[in-house]
Amino acid sequence: MIDSTFDVRVYSIERRERANGYTYKVVWKVGAKKHSKTYSTKALADARRSDLLTAVKRGDPFSLETGLPISHSSKAAETNWYDFALDFVDKTWPHSSGNTRKNLAKAMTTATVALLRTTPQFEAVFVRTALREWAFNTKRRTNPDEPIPDDVRVVLDWVRRNTLPMSAWEKTEKVDAVVTALGTLLDGTAAAASSVTRNRRIMNLAMEYAV
């Protein structure tokens, strides 16, 4: 379920002068956060502002994640990232080599931690281990002869409840957070170029699957 609010304010269009003419910026506030979208023509900006005002007058709730009316969101946007990541891993697992599976689990673990709503209440290393070794390991997660340990299950259940929906990928700051995490080692230093390239390739495949 997307977090939403009726506390919305739509501002007047801002005209900005540029070297080659003008741009028109639509600004609105949802809850405590401002959102904006810039257009090349006033007609386009007027249309967006009109859509927002119509939603406000209609009494539509607005998403706190995207800043847009819930009525504008697709069901896919409400999908939990963690659930999507599990689905993506399961899809690729049968056709992947052992090394590819290992790299996939690492990338999905890093992205998932970056997309949590709040700091985990467990040891960071335990959260990463639970994700990498169990959640994003299809064989172990689905093995009826070796059920997921109770302490690991508690962590994974918490992750599912606290992971952002897919609509988070529409927010620049969230995408930047994931990209930064994928290019950074746990000690805060930059990852090797080969690792960054591999992680970005994995995320590109995940986004293609999402679309």
Side-chain angles (χ1 to χ4, degrees), residues 111-126:
T112 300
V113 171
L115 290 172
L116 290 174
R117 298 176 187 275
T118 185
T119 302
Q121 58 187 24
F122 312 95
E123 291 291 334
V125 65
F126 190 30

Side-chain angles (χ1 to χ4, degrees), residues 6 8 11 50 57 64 75 96 104 116 119 129 148 167 176 185 187 202:
F6 295 99
V8 180
Y11 299 92
S50 178
K57 293 177 181 178
L64 290 171
K75 290 298 182 182
S96 301
L104 178 61
L116 290 174
T119 302
T129 299
I148 297 177
S167 57
D176 288 344
L185 299 178
D187 62 4
I202 290 172

Side-chain angles (χ1 to χ4, degrees), residues 11 17 27 65 80 82 108 120-121 141 148 192 196 203 205:
Y11 299 92
E17 187 172 2
V27 181
E65 294 294 339
N80 181 285
Y82 174 74
M108 291 295 104
Q121 58 187 24
R141 173 166 42 83
I148 297 177
V196 174
M203 293 311 299
L205 291 173

Side-chain angles (χ1 to χ4, degrees), residues 65-108:
E65 294 294 339
T66 66
L68 297 175
I70 297 298
S71 58
H72 290 193
S73 301
S74 68
K75 290 298 182 182
E78 299 180 36
T79 300
N80 181 285
W81 158 259
Y82 174 74
D83 289 332
F84 164 79
L86 293 181
D87 187 48
F88 176 65
V89 168
D90 290 348
K91 170 185 174 294
T92 60
W93 186 270
H95 315 291
S96 301
S97 66
N99 197 47
T100 297
R101 292 171 178 174
K102 178 181 177 181
N103 290 329
L104 178 61
K106 288 182 177 179
M108 291 295 104

Side-chain angles (χ1 to χ4, degrees), residues 14-56:
E14 299 177 7
R15 189 177 76 165
R16 302 290 180 85
E17 187 172 2
R18 294 290 185 269
N20 58 347
Y22 295 97
T23 59
Y24 302 86
K25 186 177 183 180
V26 180
V27 181
W28 69 102
K29 187 176 182 182
V30 178
K33 185 174 181 179
K34 279 190 175 182
H35 300 265
S36 65
K37 181 76 173 179
T38 299
Y39 296 90
S40 59
T41 68
K42 190 173 186 299
L44 290 173
D46 281 334
R48 165 55 82 185
R49 185 172 184 272
S50 178
D51 285 344
L52 295 173
L53 288 172
T54 297
V56 171

